[in-house]
Amino acid sequence: MTFEYAPALESRSIVSIKAKYGHFINGSFVAGKKHFPTINPATEEILSHIALGGASDVDKAVMAAQKAYTKTWSKLSGKERGKYLYRIARILQERAREFAVLETLDNGKPIRETRDIDIPLVAAHFFYHAGWADKLDYAGLGHSPKAYGVAGQIIPWNFPLLMLAWKVAPALATGNTVVLKPAETTSLTALLFAEVCQQAELPDGVVNIVTGDGSTGAAIVNHPGVHKIAFTGSTDVGKKIARAIASTDKKATLELGGKGANIVFDDAPIDETVEGIVNGIFFNQGHVCCAGSRLIVQESVAEEVIEKLKVRMAKIRVGDPLDKNTDLGAINSKEQLVKIKELSAIGDAEGAERWSPQCNLSNKGFWFAPTIFTGVTQANRIAQEEIFGPVLSVLTFRTPQEAIDKANNTPFGLSAGIWSEKGSRIFWASQHLKAGVIWANTFNKFDPASPFGGYKESGWGREGGKHGLAAYLKTGKETGAK
Ligand code: ADP
């Protein structure tokens, strides 16, 4: 006999959302001209109206960042900069619940994840980089490495505040100032972060936040006052940015798409592996650039793995993101849902076999049941293109070399996972995989000290760790970044 879970709703009373937001420039909120709605993707409720930044807003923000860099931020010692970062980190911890609820409302991801993963990692990123601020001379990046000045930072909607932390914390620690644009569907936590900057008494203009769409992002990229671009998003937009800066001396790190291979050898501990597969593809609704979206499983254990995976998938709780029992929340936007549906339909048409557990999906909001496709071949589009949703493509292999060949047969190279009890096999496989991040017997583990980034169409450069610092410093030894 099984017991039904009682609802365990997190209260949303801790957040107060304004009806309308402007931009955060030079330490103050300034009114926007045009606005667009931001909704809760689980209910389609309009949460607020976000300003659509134009070239003149970007220009004001860059001017403020330049002034702050010259007059204040570049004059402070690393130790002083570090104090601000520590202060921000502590405030983020104090206000963690507020951020977690707001992120869940605006993004659709489960409160369990915002509360236990996103927001703690955000604080960890600020703490980690606060520690570096006065030790840059000892980071192995040359003597007295210097900041670039103004960093233009453009982030996506899948981990809104975490991507902000990945960008802002190293930029500030290394002495740069920032103009950041959140994604159009998820600006609210960035705007709350602006309040944290005020609360921490961060000098005016060190962090500026301009909201808007792709045209706002392009205005940041093309502004002559911006010396360094840090972008996370789709490979298409990454390519546009690379083209836009090709004839300039702007530096860039680009963290783009992926089609991560999760390789299961026949000696893997199957039950743990199944947990890892679920975490690899269904964490954050599969809206993860490093998701393990291709399961490459040894033929001799494939049947057992798939069978156990289906049993486990039937226990995934899809529903209200604010419910603490929910595992899989809402798809972030209608557009994304359309993309997931389109690519899944292509999987059907290509002859792969689709399976999803029975789920009661709400009529309001954007939902997609956890899904696997078996019988996928390398030529199938669902094996090659990023779906960015809770959809797993399953391929099989016979020899270890075949597993590597299949794993590397992709235009991307962001992440991979290896499941095996043999250490030697793990080392061998990880040496041959062309992926920036490789997990062994785990998946989707993030740490601010660990560099993250990709090969090929997954991007340029690394974020996090010492490598991530290098990308914000002039005399730093950059790793793959332009
Ligand atoms: P996704 O597919 O995850 O929505 P995008 O690459 O479209 O990713 O968006 C990531 C971020 O890049 C968003 O903040 C978006 O507004 C911004 N963006 C979109 N187009 C451009 C562009 N041409 N130049 C700069 N930024 C852009």
Side-chain angles (χ1 to χ4, degrees):
M1 149 174 203
T2 52
F3 292 97
E4 254 317 298
Y5 282 72
L9 286 185
E10 176 73 44
S11 160
R12 59 187 277 182
S13 64
I14 192 161
V15 300
S16 94
I17 303 175
K18 298 186 182 80
K20 200 194 243 187
Y21 286 89
H23 309 292
F24 181 66
I25 297 175
N26 205 26
S28 314
F29 283 93
V30 296
K33 291 174 208 93
K34 285 191 205 149
H35 289 80
F36 59 93
T38 190
I39 62 170
N40 176 348
T43 59
E44 299 177 54
E45 167 204 3
I46 293 179
L47 295 170
S48 182
H49 290 84
I50 303 296
L52 178 64
S56 69
D57 302 301
V58 169
D59 191 48
K60 281 183 200 129
V62 175
M63 294 300 174
Q66 260 172 346
K67 194 167 134 227
Y69 177 72
T70 327
K71 298 239 155 87
T72 335
W73 204 236
S74 62
K75 300 218 166 110
L76 289 184
S77 66
K79 190 172 161 198
E80 290 305 313
R81 289 199 308 273
K83 281 188 197 169
Y84 284 107
L85 288 167
Y86 278 122
R87 208 183 277 175
I88 290 172
R90 282 193 297 268
I91 297 171
L92 285 164
Q93 280 188 322
E94 281 161 15
R95 300 179 68 172
R97 202 157 77 86
E98 189 182 349
F99 272 104
V101 173
L102 188 61
E103 195 79 300
T104 288
L105 285 171
D106 202 20
N107 172 282
K109 62 170 82 190
I111 187 74
R112 190 173 61 79
E113 289 180 6
T114 53
R115 182 196 61 195
D116 298 348
I117 300 169
D118 293 63
I119 311 304
L121 272 174
V122 167
H125 269 271
F126 278 95
F127 277 119
Y128 175 80
H129 287 96
W132 269 120
D134 63 346
K135 301 175 195 70
L136 298 175
D137 275 350
Y138 312 102
L141 305 172
H143 179 65
S144 285
K146 296 276 177 303
Y148 284 109
V150 179
Q153 308 186 314
I154 298 158
I155 56 172
W157 46 261
N158 57 340
F159 292 94
L161 193 68
L162 184 57
M163 288 302 106
L164 175 149
W166 278 32
K167 300 278 180 280
V168 173
L172 263 46
T174 49
N176 295 274
T177 56
V178 163
V179 176
L180 175 132
K181 189 194 86 67
E184 34 281 67
T185 56
T186 54
S187 300
L188 291 180
T189 48
L191 294 164
L192 187 59
F193 178 80
E195 285 180 28
V196 169
C197 294
Q198 288 178 325
Q199 200 182 337
E201 293 173 10
L202 188 71
D204 292 347
V206 171
V207 168
N208 303 277
I209 294 173
V210 182
T211 52
D213 61 9
S215 66
T216 321
I220 295 177
V221 170
N222 294 322
H223 197 291
V226 171
H227 306 296
K228 147 93 194 166
I229 315 284
F231 170 77
T232 298
S234 62
T235 297
D236 281 351
V237 174
K239 286 181 181 173
K240 278 189 199 160
I241 293 177
R243 277 195 288 273
I245 62 168
S247 60
T248 71
D249 62 356
K250 293 181 188 185
K251 300 286 171 193
T253 39
L254 305 176
E255 206 271 90
L256 311 176
K259 193 77 189 173
N262 208 358
I263 303 175
V264 180
F265 287 103
D266 57 4
D267 63 336
I270 302 294
D271 291 339
E272 287 89 332
T273 304
V274 166
E275 282 307 307
I277 296 167
V278 167
N279 178 39
I281 184 63
F282 302 124
F283 167 59
N284 202 36
Q285 294 69 247
H287 300 328
V288 184
C289 48
C290 57
S293 52
R294 285 181 302 153
L295 177 66
I296 305 189
V297 56
Q298 196 148 5
E299 211 173 80
S300 50
V301 291
E303 209 172 300
E304 183 187 353
V305 169
I306 303 300
E307 207 171 292
K308 288 193 166 171
L309 180 60
K310 286 181 177 173
V311 172
R312 177 65 182 81
M313 281 171 68
K315 296 196 184 324
I316 294 176
R317 300 178 60 85
V318 185
D320 185 348
L322 275 176
D323 190 322
K324 291 170 210 160
N325 295 319
T326 293
D327 300 311
L328 198 85
I331 299 302
N332 177 254
S333 65
K334 197 174 187 174
E335 293 71 37
Q336 190 56 29
L337 182 59
V338 168
K339 273 190 207 165
I340 297 169
K341 285 185 172 167
E342 272 173 11
L343 269 165
S344 300
I346 289 169
D348 295 329
E350 285 176 327
E353 195 178 322
R354 184 199 292 232
W355 184 87
S356 295
Q358 189 58 43
C359 293
N360 291 327
L361 304 178
S362 162
N363 294 328
K364 272 261 167 226
F366 316 124
W367 305 94
F368 199 86
T371 298
I372 56 171
F373 278 99
T374 48
V376 176
T377 74
Q378 296 186 77
N380 291 162
R381 282 180 64 187
I382 54 167
Q384 291 293 331
E385 293 177 32
E386 189 175 39
I387 302 175
F388 223 65
V391 181
L392 178 68
S393 301
V394 185
L395 297 96
T396 58
F397 69 94
R398 288 185 184 167
T399 65
Q401 187 56 47
E402 190 189 342
I404 302 295
D405 292 345
K406 284 189 170 165
N408 288 340
N409 181 14
T410 161
F412 299 109
L414 191 54
S415 72
I418 305 164
W419 296 84
S420 168
E421 265 183 355
K422 277 202 192 73
S424 57
R425 186 171 266 179
I426 290 171
F427 284 125
W428 176 84
S430 47
Q431 266 174 345
H432 292 88
L433 285 169
K434 271 283 185 219
V437 186
I438 299 173
W439 289 289
N441 293 328
T442 186
F443 212 95
N444 276 337
K445 285 275 179 291
F446 305 100
D447 189 290
S450 171
F452 184 94
Y455 284 89
K456 301 190 277 184
E457 296 214 349
S458 290
W460 292 345
R462 296 290 177 267
E463 291 187 300
K466 278 203 305 193
H467 301 71
L469 294 174
Y472 281 95
L473 290 165
K474 262 185 208 161
T475 57
K477 296 177 193 148
E478 289 178 48
T479 50
K482 175 178 179 267

